[in-house]
């Protein structure tokens, strides 16, 4: 299954994980702590998040390229909403793509 990763510069990665996962927990299967999260959108589509001191890493896995692109957009738009005023630069890179 294709997957892609975005490394997003932010000092508030843990806060973003908490806000996003609390938001999604009402409708989705979500597991999270202060530095990592796993969200299941459906049987084949997931996202994993990991916070460091200066970044948030987001990884989306989906069954095909179209669904991967769709959920990259879902994750990015929700992160931007949860950032509350912080401008996030989110650029996805296909895993295994060395370019």
């Amino acid at each position: 299954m294709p997957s892609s990763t975005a490394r997003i510069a932010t000092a508030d990665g843990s806060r973003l994980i908490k806000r996003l996962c609390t938001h999604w927990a009402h409708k989705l299967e979500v597991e999270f702590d202060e530095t990592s999260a796993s969200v299941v959108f459906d049987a084949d589509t997931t996202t994993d998040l990991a916070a460091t001191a200066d970044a948030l890493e987001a990884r989306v896995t989906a069954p095909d390229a179209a669904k991967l692109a769709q959920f990259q957009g879902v994750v990015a738009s929700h992160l931007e909403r949860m950032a509350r005023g912080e401008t996030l630069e989110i650029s996805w890179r296909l895993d295994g793509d060395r370019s």
Side-chain angles (χ1 to χ4, degrees):
M1 283 197 294
S3 63
S4 61
T5 302
R7 182 169 173 79
I8 306 153
T10 180
D12 289 326
S14 291
R15 181 182 59 85
L16 287 170
I17 285 174
K18 182 178 180 183
R19 293 192 71 222
L20 184 62
C21 290
T22 300
H23 171 76
W24 275 340
H26 298 286
K27 293 186 178 184
L28 301 169
E29 180 183 329
V30 175
E31 290 184 24
F32 70 99
D33 59 29
E34 289 188 20
T35 60
S36 65
S38 179
V39 180
V40 177
F41 295 107
D42 61 36
D44 298 319
T45 310
T46 61
T47 192
D48 295 298
L49 305 168
T52 64
D54 62 352
L56 177 66
E57 187 169 292
R59 182 172 189 252
V60 175
T61 303
D64 57 53
K67 198 160 187 182
L68 181 65
Q70 175 189 357
F71 279 89
Q72 287 172 344
V74 168
V75 171
S77 68
H78 278 78
L79 283 171
E80 289 166 350
R81 283 185 11 213
M82 298 299 144
R84 284 194 179 162
E86 179 181 7
T87 301
L88 302 178
E89 291 188 32
I90 303 171
S91 178
W92 296 97
R93 180 184 197 128
L94 285 175
D95 292 343
D97 185 3
R98 305 250 184 242
S99 59

